Amino acid sequence: MSKLKKIINRHFFIAIVALLLIDLFVFTTHIYVSNKSDGYAELINMSGRQRMLSQRITLLIYEANRLPETDAYRDVVVTELTNNLELFAQSHKLLSGNDPSIDADIDRKILDFYNSSGLNNDVKEFLENAPDYAAHSNRPEFGHFTQQVKGEFLQKLNQAVKLFELVSDDLSQFQMIIQIIVFIISVISIIAIALFVLIPLRNKIITSEIELAKSIDELALEGEYKSMFLANMSHELRTPLNGILGATALMKSHDLDEELEQFMDIINTSGNTLLGTIDNILDLTKLEMERLEIEHLPFNPREMINSVYQTFKYYPNHNPVDIICEIPSLPDWLMGDEQKIKQVVNNLMSNAIKFTLSGEIMISTTYDNGILQIAVTDTGIGMTEEQLGIIFEPFKQADTSTKREFGGTGLGLSISKQMTTAMGGELTATSEPNKGTNFNITLPLEVSAQAGIIEQPNPMKGLNKDFSGTVLITEDNIINYQVLAKMLQKMGLQ
């Protein structure tokens, strides 16, 4: 796991934990305040009911006193009175904090009021006297009891209700304050998370992006330097190599014995191989630097393919391989870069000859709907799917044993792929181990209306004639100068 990924995960974890803690605090506070508010709302209703029950009890006692003891309805009144007295007693026990089985969380001010105002004693006396007044009819002291209930006792019950309401109002204000505090804490927490988690994370990502962009620029610059170095080196290598090949050609023009002739062939073959490698490096450099120029000129595709076929038909090869060429009906002229198409086909043919130990190699072409297809198929050693995935990469071959056995730099297919792409086409490959490989070139080329008006120059034309005169040679390399001077002297020039 990368360092940046670890930092992102750590900051993300911290932010999530912080938000969860904030949510837990807000949720817990809300539940606590809401439960307390709901509890006090019930207590207010209960204290108001106490006031109503005191009046109803007084009314029932009045009914019981008024009715004869033998009246059946009086028993109903007494039963209802008893039920109301029990409800009144239970409610008072709860409101005054004297019920140990229920945690009502009564405010201390209300409890002090029940004790200091004498309301507890009044309720006790009320509950004791009420059954006695209801037990017998026409008691004269009932009027005093009624006045007592309607007077000071009722006022104390009213005061208890008001106290509950005041405490409830205070609780509502407290709830509002808590909500404000929670909101402030949430805002502060979010700001803290932004300042100490998200913003540092953002800065770290921006810094990493800047460093990454800088690294990419440095790599691009290094790649450009590498490409410039390779281009310069290929030029510097080509200059003395031309001297070697020229000197070899001059030596072969003399009468040499068979052994020296073989040595000259070895030097010439090795030099041309090295020159091909240098040309490949130069082409790869141009492709990487996007300096490869693609021409758009008329050419004869049949002549081009036939030229490649003729070259490789007599190619020196010690393996029993047949070279086959199939050229069906093709347009006489197409618009494109003949030299680069030919170079790609040559690379594929060289590759096929190198890896085909027996069997045949076939070049086939088709043209349909503006698409020229050239296929090079061999019966060589073939490749696996894994090997097919790397063959178009520079300096890569199917495996190291292939490189040791067959040689090569691994540039030919990479250059062919990039060159085909630069011409707007596609180079693909299919293969099967021990059965062979098929390379397929697909190029979008238009038919040329300028048939035959372009004559390709022949640099060797007329060189077999006798010359006389003096030639000025401008060459900064002394070896190339000497080789060229000897060649011109052989042609009769000074």
Side-chain angles (χ1 to χ4, degrees), residues 196-449:
F196 298 105
V197 177
L198 299 180
I199 292 179
L201 178 60
R202 171 182 171 273
N203 294 337
K204 186 67 178 178
I205 293 175
I206 291 175
T207 302
S208 300
E209 288 179 348
I210 293 174
E211 293 176 354
L212 179 61
K214 184 178 178 182
S215 299
I216 293 174
D217 291 340
E218 290 175 354
L219 288 174
L221 188 60
E222 289 178 4
E224 186 174 351
Y225 286 156
K226 181 199 73 173
S227 299
M228 293 174 62
F229 171 76
L230 291 175
N232 291 332
M233 284 302 299
S234 64
H235 174 72
E236 294 299 327
L237 290 172
R238 188 195 300 269
T239 301
L241 187 58
N242 286 332
I244 294 173
L245 294 175
T248 303
L250 289 173
M251 288 291 293
K252 292 182 69 175
S253 67
H254 291 77
D255 293 331
L256 302 175
D257 58 35
E258 184 177 353
E259 184 178 12
L260 287 177
E261 186 77 23
Q262 291 178 353
F263 289 159
M264 289 299 103
D265 288 339
I266 292 173
I267 294 173
N268 187 63
T269 301
S270 300
N272 281 310
T273 301
L274 181 58
L275 184 61
T277 301
I278 293 172
D279 289 339
N280 284 338
I281 293 175
L282 183 60
D283 287 337
L284 181 65
T285 302
K286 289 180 179 179
L287 287 165
E288 289 181 345
M289 298 177 69
E290 298 181 354
R291 294 181 181 176
L292 188 70
E293 296 181 359
I294 304 298
E295 295 182 345
H296 196 63
L297 299 173
F299 73 96
N300 189 313
R302 182 183 296 275
E303 291 184 1
M304 180 198 71
I305 296 299
N306 188 60
S307 172
V308 174
Y309 167 69
Q310 295 297 329
T311 299
F312 286 94
K313 181 179 180 181
Y314 302 103
Y315 190 84
N317 185 21
H318 299 292
N319 298 323
V321 178
D322 294 328
I323 308 297
I324 303 172
C325 182
E326 290 186 355
I327 307 177
S329 177
L330 292 176
D332 291 334
W333 297 90
L334 295 175
M335 295 295 293
D337 195 323
E338 179 183 4
Q339 295 304 316
K340 290 183 177 58
I341 298 173
K342 189 174 181 179
Q343 181 178 347
V344 172
V345 179
N346 280 330
N347 284 342
L348 297 181
M349 286 296 297
S350 298
N351 198 70
I353 287 178
K354 184 190 300 183
F355 295 105
T356 303
L357 305 180
S358 63
E360 64 181 30
I361 299 172
M362 176 183 291
I363 312 175
S364 59
T365 60
T366 59
Y367 184 84
D368 186 32
N369 293 326
I371 301 296
L372 176 67
Q373 287 192 344
I374 305 173
V376 176
T377 306
D378 64 60
T379 58
I381 61 175
M383 291 175 285
T384 63
E385 289 294 330
E386 183 179 358
Q387 292 169 339
L388 279 174
I390 64 171
I391 59 171
F392 292 120
E393 297 180 18
F395 305 103
K396 289 288 182 70
Q397 288 189 339
D399 55 41
T400 55
S401 63
T402 299
K403 188 171 184 179
R404 287 196 300 268
E405 183 176 355
F406 298 98
T409 60
L411 286 175
L413 291 179
S414 174
I415 291 172
S416 299
K417 175 76 170 179
Q418 295 186 55
M419 199 169 283
T420 305
T421 303
M423 290 186 288
E426 185 179 11
L427 174 60
T428 58
T430 57
S431 184
E432 190 173 346
N434 302 318
K435 289 190 176 181
T437 304
N438 172 263
F439 286 95
N440 190 61
I441 306 168
T442 304
L443 291 168
L445 301 178
E446 298 177 355
V447 176
S448 173

Side-chain angles (χ1 to χ4, degrees), residues 51 64 70 82 99 138 144 150 224 227 235 285 289 315 329 427-428 467 470 477 490:
R51 183 174 53 188
T70 57
T82 302
D99 190 350
N138 299 320
H144 173 72
K150 291 183 177 180
E224 186 174 351
S227 299
H235 174 72
T285 302
M289 298 177 69
Y315 190 84
S329 177
L427 174 60
T428 58
F467 291 92
T470 302
N477 186 281
K490 280 185 167 291

Side-chain angles (χ1 to χ4, degrees), residues 92-112:
H92 177 75
K93 196 173 183 181
L94 177 63
L95 294 172
S96 60
N98 294 319
D99 190 350
S101 63
I102 300 177
D103 184 15
D105 194 18
I106 307 298
D107 191 90
R108 175 53 56 184
K109 291 186 295 184
I110 297 175
L111 297 178
D112 291 342

